[in-house]
Amino acid sequence: EHERTFVMVKPDGVQRGLVGDIVARFEERGLKLVGGKFMRIDRDLAEEHYGEHEDKPFFDDLVSFITSGPVFAMVWEGQDAVAQVRTMMGETDPAESAPGTIRGDFGLDLGRNVIHGSDTEEGSAEREIDLFFAADELLDYERVD
Ligand code: CMP
């Protein structure tokens, strides 16, 4: 399915200078960048974005971490974009992620796991894209490979 997904370099990834490498991986793979925003997430947005984790013991740490510094939020488009990004990211726990994946190459810490990508649940990607981007911030053009 040709679709869009929401991706974000988390504060640890920004602080470690990984934005360019991560963008390059998705570009080289053939996905199309249709939105990008360097921003600081406030508490309200964090709590809404991570709403499904509200009752988890790590929720407060998660909100503190994601609001602790700037993130680079993106929308990527392509064939099976949601699943492709998930595959390229690796597992939630970087320690269990294979080398070659973004988390497998750059992370070891479960909380500070460098990157977020929408999960494959129906409607997740659309929900997150709408939360972070206005319609006129998503730009269409032809990708040439
Ligand atoms: P992500 O899948 O992007 O969104 C939820 C985040 O919660 C996840 O990345 C991890 O960074 C974090 N997380 C999941 N499980 C734990 C845990 N047991 N302890 C701390 N953080 C966690």
Side-chain angles (χ1 to χ4, degrees):
E1 189 187 353
H2 194 87
E3 62 188 7
R4 290 176 170 182
T5 188
F6 175 74
V7 180
M8 148 172 94
V9 181
K10 295 184 180 183
D12 58 327
V14 171
Q15 285 171 340
R16 292 171 58 201
L18 301 177
V19 170
D21 186 295
I22 289 169
V23 169
R25 287 177 183 228
F26 295 131
E27 286 185 321
E28 287 163 2
R29 178 82 169 190
L31 292 165
K32 180 163 80 173
L33 182 67
V34 295
K37 194 189 289 191
F38 191 56
M39 61 183 285
R40 184 91 181 239
I41 297 180
D42 66 21
R43 202 170 178 88
D44 284 351
L45 179 57
E47 288 179 354
E48 182 152 11
H49 175 69
Y50 283 127
E52 65 178 296
H53 298 299
E54 199 166 38
D55 299 326
K56 308 269 173 64
F58 57 83
F59 183 70
D60 286 344
D61 286 346
L62 185 56
V63 170
S64 299
F65 166 58
I66 209 70
T67 58
S68 67
V71 301
F72 191 63
M74 297 162 275
V75 179
W76 290 90
E77 181 182 302
Q79 196 63 29
D80 298 321
V82 177
Q84 293 297 342
V85 166
R86 298 287 292 190
T87 300
M88 292 170 71
M89 287 195 314
E91 305 300 318
T92 298
D93 187 350
E96 293 178 359
S97 299
T101 64
I102 293 166
R103 288 167 175 157
D105 286 346
F106 297 131
L108 271 176
D109 189 301
L110 176 57
R112 297 179 178 260
N113 61 1
V114 183
I115 187 169
H116 167 87
S118 301
D119 66 40
T120 52
E121 210 164 297
E122 185 72 35
S124 273
E126 288 86 349
R127 183 183 78 86
E128 294 180 348
I129 290 168
D130 288 351
L131 202 51
F132 281 84
F133 288 91
D136 68 1
E137 292 175 325
L138 303 177
L139 308 179
D140 202 22
Y141 61 96
E142 188 183 352
R143 224 203 104 111
V144 180
D145 292 301

